[in-house]
Amino acid sequence: MSYERFFSHAAAAMRESAIRRMGTLGARIPDLISFAPGFPDPAMFPWDALREAAGDLLSGDDRGALQYGPTRGYGPLLQTLEPLLASRGIASTLDQRLITSGSQQGLDLVARVLIDPDDVVLVELPTYTGAISAFVNARARLMGVRQDEDGIDVDELDRAVARVRAEGRRVRLLYVVPNFQNPTGLLIGHDKRRRLLEWAEKADVLIVEDDPYGDLFFPDSAGPADTRPLKADDTAGRVVYLSSFSKTLAPGLRTAWVVAPEPIVQKFDVAKQAADICTGSLDQRLVHRALGAGLLAAQGERLRAHYQGKRIVMERAIAAWGPGLASWPRPRGGFFLWLTLPPAVDAERLLRRALGLSVSFVTGSAFFVDGSGHNTVRLSFSQPSEPEIEEGIARLGRALREELESQLPAGGSSADSGISVPRG
Amino acid sequence: MSYERFFSHAAAAMRESAIRRMGTLGARIPDLISFAPGFPDPAMFPWDALREAAGDLLSGDDRGALQYGPTRGYGPLLQTLEPLLASRGIASTLDQRLITSGSQQGLDLVARVLIDPDDVVLVELPTYTGAISAFVNARARLMGVRQDEDGIDVDELDRAVARVRAEGRRVRLLYVVPNFQNPTGLLIGHDKRRRLLEWAEKADVLIVEDDPYGDLFFPDSAGPADTRPLKADDTAGRVVYLSSFSKTLAPGLRTAWVVAPEPIVQKFDVAKQAADICTGSLDQRLVHRALGAGLLAAQGERLRAHYQGKRIVMERAIAAWGPGLASWPRPRGGFFLWLTLPPAVDAERLLRRALGLSVSFVTGSAFFVDGSGHNTVRLSFSQPSEPEIEEGIARLGRALREELESQLPAGGSSADSGISVPRG
């Protein structure tokens, strides 16, 4: 029996996440080194502290540890967010905060509460696939806006809004990842952050600011002053701020949060009631304990050094490919290195070749809502070990050279492709 | 600044769950005895076993315990569902199963994948508020179908479908809770289960079967043969089956599951990717350990006796009000006792009076999609202790007598209300 006739229009439009599909593909390949998923390094999870906390929490003294909890979130955790937010420059009241089951749920709540079918959502070009999925599932139309080396082009934003409104369509929000963007690793500059807030006010739109990586700046090239959230200067109440413990504590605990104007948080609360009633009670308490023990600050120190080290190894390994094969903006934090390959390279074809050599990545085109980016690649350096990064990048270099050679007439460089292939 | 103009049509239609609102209200009342939330008794959670399992799982040996996991669910848990489902008569393949973040997420996935705005969803009259919310948030129109003492009226279902289709609207699914329904406690009879499956085939609709309470039959009046799911006899692939560990292990772990035809599960998987990426990794492993240790069977035994004991206490306490004040179908399992009060009683008014006496419940009208049920009340006997049940029901009896007396002319019974108030 066919079920097509039972599916909603939204279901018909749903597409599997490219990143998740990669995960499934890769699972079948032996010795795979994967640069595909943006997973944190599990060796860095605070295992001992969480084990001890779980032992305490499951003593039975706190009956709420395994019971349903408030949709808004575990009260003490919501309280503890106050100093954490203050350290990022964000002042907020309790009524402006909500715990979500990962930031993905935050994006989903945004999609449900702030988007009607056919509304236009402005996003960076490229942007995070999880946001694309959440917005597409709400049947939004996505419009991409190009980025410079210091992030989204504000003049282009103006033109985009004008174009959309001239067509009689609605644009209610811009989605941005200002700190070490997924997938490009870019950081929005100081001046541009200020301009974005002014633009939102002038254009009468909301900004959804997704900030999972802000704590993970790399000391060799960035500091806390560079990652100050837009929300910190949001005097007009234009910013919905999402952040998470997935990258700093552990993603398996599915605990993240939203800070937004109170009327929006109220709607999120009602939407979340029907989505999952509440976020895991034990998970929220584990995070609360970790925060209370000062673990987040300690993790920040460790993780910044750890991931910076991996980025250095990855950059060095790519540089060893020789000149002309790839360019990238140096990541000043976060998990991702964004490669632009010679225009003749199709990353989908490269991926098939790379899987044959037991290495994987996400094709950059998955992050472009305008169908471009065929010769771009997202590499995550967060999960593999340093030796795996070296070996994996060497394999990828081999795949890339093979791919380029396959396009050349035997024995020479091609005038068509505009590139020559370094040997070695 | 007003945010109304930013809200989606879905958000504008969203309403806070009556049950959750009751929870918020009640939180401010001292010494409150609450029969409002359908919470399991935390004294019955398997604390020791879960504490031990958490200690093991957080040793760091299984790196996946705190990492992102597959959207479909933790593999070993999905496997372990096979014998559990078989014990309920349900044969299923791995591709027909999906872990959800509580059954509420299962309902939400149903709403997103199977409902378009203005589609009609058939539900029992009364029905579970969490399902109402999930369907209303997808902008469905809900049509209620009356129940007899053995559940939904199948002839009435036929008439409802004919009516909807005559109006040119679409009906794709019926939502039912066949075992110890929330809120009525009713059990759909054997014969009617068979007729429902035949009806679904003839009417070409899907059935969403929500079964959180099936394991909690009371030995004094029901057995496993009475709770055999519709899904067990679903040879045509018409049933989407939802079940959960929230009532048998612990709801704070937010772990539930769906069994459905593979094409539907595939869509659920894609929808869940964008909803929360995955259900908590530690939570799923805790449940898997509990199942592996045979804990579910052991819990079943304990819980059936425990909750049956509470139901007996509650029934006895209500009977002590004297005749003519309330009637109810005896719950043969589950968490709920459904009171019908004299027609003159408005449960909303009664609730205000009851809160003044530090006792609460959910007004029955919250469960009716047709605006009826003003004189009905849902009482949960699951969470309060037996002495609390006795005391709380005594308080409620007092509130009810006061409410009835307030409607009488001084010193007598009223011909209008058609009832006389027993004193005592």
Side-chain angles (χ1 to χ4, degrees):
Chain A
M1 155 166 161
S2 161
Y3 293 89
E4 293 300 322
R5 69 188 182 286
F6 291 108
F7 293 142
S8 63
H9 289 109
M14 284 174 189
R15 270 177 228 93
E16 192 178 12
S17 139
I19 298 176
R20 306 296 290 177
R21 197 174 56 231
M22 276 309 310
T24 314
L25 261 180
R28 288 165 205 146
I29 294 172
D31 299 321
L32 182 77
I33 295 176
S34 180
F35 302 122
F39 286 10
D41 187 342
M44 303 301 283
F45 295 158
W47 293 99
D48 292 342
L50 292 174
R51 185 172 62 249
E52 214 171 288
D56 263 21
L57 288 166
L58 293 172
S59 69
D61 290 343
D62 171 5
R63 292 301 177 88
L66 292 173
Q67 187 61 283
Y68 291 107
T71 301
R72 195 62 74 101
Y74 174 53
L77 177 59
L78 285 165
Q79 290 283 0
T80 307
L81 290 179
E82 182 151 345
L84 171 59
L85 286 162
S87 75
R88 298 180 186 181
I90 299 172
S92 66
T93 65
L94 205 52
D95 290 336
Q96 295 169 338
R97 300 177 215 141
L98 174 97
I99 300 294
T100 57
S101 303
S103 269
Q104 187 64 46
Q105 183 176 57
L107 292 171
D108 188 43
L109 295 175
V110 163
R112 291 165 160 235
V113 167
L114 300 173
I115 299 174
D116 275 316
D118 289 325
D119 278 354
V120 172
V121 174
L122 298 169
V123 299
E124 293 155 324
L125 209 55
T127 189
Y128 171 51
T129 50
I132 295 176
S133 299
F135 300 153
V136 165
N137 288 3
R139 303 177 63 202
R141 301 193 191 196
L142 300 184
M143 180 175 286
V145 176
R146 60 177 292 279
Q147 300 182 77
D148 303 320
E149 60 191 13
D150 68 338
I152 195 161
D153 182 327
V154 183
D155 297 327
E156 182 59 30
L157 269 177
D158 270 333
R159 287 189 290 271
V161 170
R163 216 156 51 232
V164 172
R165 292 186 173 156
E167 290 169 11
R169 284 189 287 142
R170 256 200 324 208
V171 51
R172 282 185 180 128
L173 66 91
L174 163 70
Y175 169 75
V176 284
V177 187
N179 292 325
F180 319 119
Q181 196 223 17
N182 181 354
T184 60
L186 289 176
L187 189 62
I188 297 185
H190 265 152
D191 186 50
K192 213 169 242 187
R193 290 178 190 233
R194 190 185 42 74
R195 285 185 62 205
L196 276 173
L197 289 169
E198 290 167 4
W199 167 83
E201 189 67 16
K202 196 182 61 183
D204 192 23
V205 299
L206 300 177
I207 294 179
V208 175
E209 177 179 29
D210 193 0
D211 188 21
Y213 308 108
D215 281 345
L216 303 180
F217 53 84
F218 296 153
D220 69 4
S221 47
D226 298 308
T227 58
R228 181 179 170 91
L230 295 170
K231 185 67 184 169
D233 301 300
D234 175 34
T235 49
R238 291 276 169 189
V239 179
V240 175
Y241 179 77
L242 313 180
S243 192
S244 170
F245 299 104
S246 289
K247 275 68 184 185
T248 47
L249 294 175
L253 301 177
R254 310 306 303 122
T255 303
W257 76 92
V258 176
V259 181
E262 190 179 334
I264 295 178
V265 167
Q266 274 170 9
K267 285 289 181 191
F268 285 173
D269 187 332
V270 178
K272 182 172 162 64
Q273 285 171 15
D276 67 359
I277 300 181
C278 62
T279 293
S281 301
L282 179 60
D283 287 347
Q284 291 186 74
R285 279 165 174 80
L286 286 169
V287 168
H288 175 249
R289 288 283 178 115
L291 295 183
L295 216 60
L296 201 63
Q299 283 285 103
E301 285 286 325
R302 291 173 69 214
L303 296 175
R304 288 189 278 269
H306 183 73
Y307 291 124
Q308 174 177 290
K310 290 188 172 191
R311 184 216 63 198
I312 290 171
V313 170
M314 183 174 272
E315 283 198 301
R316 206 179 280 151
I318 299 173
W321 289 349
L325 283 187
S327 64
W328 65 94
R330 163 165 295 181
R332 297 164 65 193
F335 281 6
F336 305 109
L337 193 145
W338 178 252
L339 287 186
T340 299
L341 305 174
V345 176
D346 179 78
E348 289 280 356
R349 281 177 51 108
L350 176 65
L351 178 59
R352 285 195 291 275
R353 209 176 276 277
L355 288 171
L357 297 175
S358 293
V359 60
S360 76
F361 57 82
V362 183
T363 54
S365 56
F367 303 90
F368 283 89
V369 297
D370 66 351
S372 65
H374 75 280
N375 62 327
T376 58
V377 157
R378 190 193 77 172
L379 300 176
S380 304
F381 49 80
S382 47
Q383 191 180 32
S385 67
E386 295 189 358
E388 284 168 342
I389 292 174
E390 284 176 349
E391 171 60 23
I393 294 296
R395 290 180 194 171
L396 183 58
R398 222 172 305 145
L400 181 55
R401 275 189 303 271
E402 286 177 18
E403 178 58 22
L404 284 165
E405 276 160 13
S406 76
Q407 297 178 23
L408 298 178
S413 76
S414 152
D416 284 353
S417 74
I419 45 133
S420 64
V421 183
R423 310 277 155 168
Chain B
M1 155 167 160
S2 161
Y3 293 89
E4 293 301 320
R5 70 189 181 285
F6 291 107
F7 293 143
S8 63
H9 289 108
M14 284 173 189
R15 269 177 227 92
E16 193 177 13
S17 140
I19 298 176
R20 305 295 291 178
R21 198 175 53 232
M22 276 310 309
T24 314
L25 261 179
R28 288 166 205 145
I29 294 172
D31 299 323
L32 181 78
I33 295 176
S34 180
F35 301 121
F39 287 10
D41 187 341
M44 302 303 282
F45 296 157
W47 293 99
D48 293 342
L50 292 175
R51 187 173 59 248
E52 214 171 289
D56 264 20
L57 288 166
L58 293 172
S59 69
D61 289 344
D62 171 5
R63 293 299 176 90
L66 292 173
Q67 186 61 283
Y68 290 107
T71 301
R72 195 62 75 102
Y74 174 52
L77 178 59
L78 285 165
Q79 290 284 1
T80 307
L81 290 177
E82 182 151 345
L84 171 59
L85 286 161
S87 76
R88 298 181 185 179
I90 299 172
S92 66
T93 65
L94 204 52
D95 290 336
Q96 294 168 338
R97 300 178 215 141
L98 174 96
I99 301 294
T100 56
S101 304
S103 270
Q104 187 64 45
Q105 183 177 57
L107 293 169
D108 188 44
L109 295 176
V110 163
R112 291 166 159 232
V113 166
L114 300 173
I115 299 174
D116 274 316
D118 288 325
D119 278 354
V120 171
V121 174
L122 299 168
V123 299
E124 293 155 323
L125 211 53
T127 190
Y128 171 51
T129 50
I132 296 176
S133 299
F135 301 153
V136 165
N137 288 3
R139 305 177 61 201
R141 299 193 191 198
L142 300 184
M143 181 174 284
V145 177
R146 61 178 291 280
Q147 299 181 79
D148 302 321
E149 60 191 15
D150 68 339
I152 195 160
D153 183 327
V154 184
D155 297 327
E156 182 59 32
L157 269 178
D158 271 333
R159 287 189 289 271
V161 169
R163 215 156 52 234
V164 171
R165 291 186 175 157
E167 290 169 12
R169 282 190 287 142
R170 260 202 321 213
V171 51
R172 282 186 180 128
L173 66 92
L174 163 69
Y175 169 75
V176 284
V177 187
N179 293 325
F180 320 119
Q181 196 223 19
N182 182 355
T184 61
L186 289 175
L187 191 61
I188 297 184
H190 265 153
D191 187 51
K192 213 169 244 186
R193 290 177 191 233
R194 190 185 44 71
R195 286 184 62 206
L196 276 174
L197 289 169
E198 291 166 5
W199 168 83
E201 189 67 16
K202 196 182 63 186
D204 192 23
V205 300
L206 300 176
I207 295 179
V208 175
E209 177 179 29
D210 193 0
D211 188 20
Y213 308 107
D215 282 344
L216 304 179
F217 53 86
F218 296 153
D220 69 2
S221 47
D226 298 308
T227 58
R228 180 179 169 90
L230 295 170
K231 185 67 186 168
D233 301 299
D234 174 34
T235 49
R238 291 275 170 190
V239 179
V240 174
Y241 179 78
L242 313 180
S243 191
S244 169
F245 299 105
S246 288
K247 276 68 183 184
T248 47
L249 294 175
L253 302 177
R254 309 307 302 121
T255 303
W257 77 93
V258 176
V259 181
E262 190 180 332
I264 295 178
V265 167
Q266 274 169 9
K267 285 288 181 193
F268 285 174
D269 187 332
V270 178
K272 182 172 162 64
Q273 285 171 15
D276 67 359
I277 299 181
C278 63
T279 293
S281 301
L282 178 61
D283 287 346
Q284 291 186 74
R285 280 166 175 79
L286 286 170
V287 168
H288 175 249
R289 289 282 179 116
L291 295 183
L295 215 61
L296 201 65
Q299 283 286 101
E301 286 287 322
R302 293 172 68 213
L303 296 173
R304 288 189 279 270
H306 184 74
Y307 292 124
Q308 175 177 291
K310 290 188 171 190
R311 183 217 63 197
I312 290 170
V313 171
M314 184 175 272
E315 283 197 303
R316 205 178 282 149
I318 298 172
W321 289 349
L325 283 188
S327 64
W328 65 95
R330 163 164 296 182
R332 298 164 65 196
F335 282 6
F336 306 109
L337 193 145
W338 178 252
L339 288 185
T340 299
L341 305 174
V345 176
D346 178 78
E348 289 278 356
R349 280 176 52 108
L350 176 64
L351 178 59
R352 284 194 291 275
R353 209 177 276 277
L355 288 171
L357 296 175
S358 294
V359 61
S360 76
F361 56 82
V362 183
T363 54
S365 55
F367 303 90
F368 284 89
V369 297
D370 67 351
S372 65
H374 76 280
N375 63 328
T376 58
V377 157
R378 189 193 77 171
L379 299 176
S380 305
F381 49 79
S382 47
Q383 191 179 32
S385 67
E386 295 189 357
E388 285 169 340
I389 292 174
E390 285 176 347
E391 170 61 22
I393 294 295
R395 291 180 192 169
L396 183 58
R398 223 173 305 144
L400 180 55
R401 275 190 303 272
E402 287 177 17
E403 177 59 24
L404 285 164
E405 277 161 12
S406 76
Q407 298 179 20
L408 299 177
S413 77
S414 151
D416 283 351
S417 73
I419 44 135
S420 65
V421 183
R423 309 277 155 168

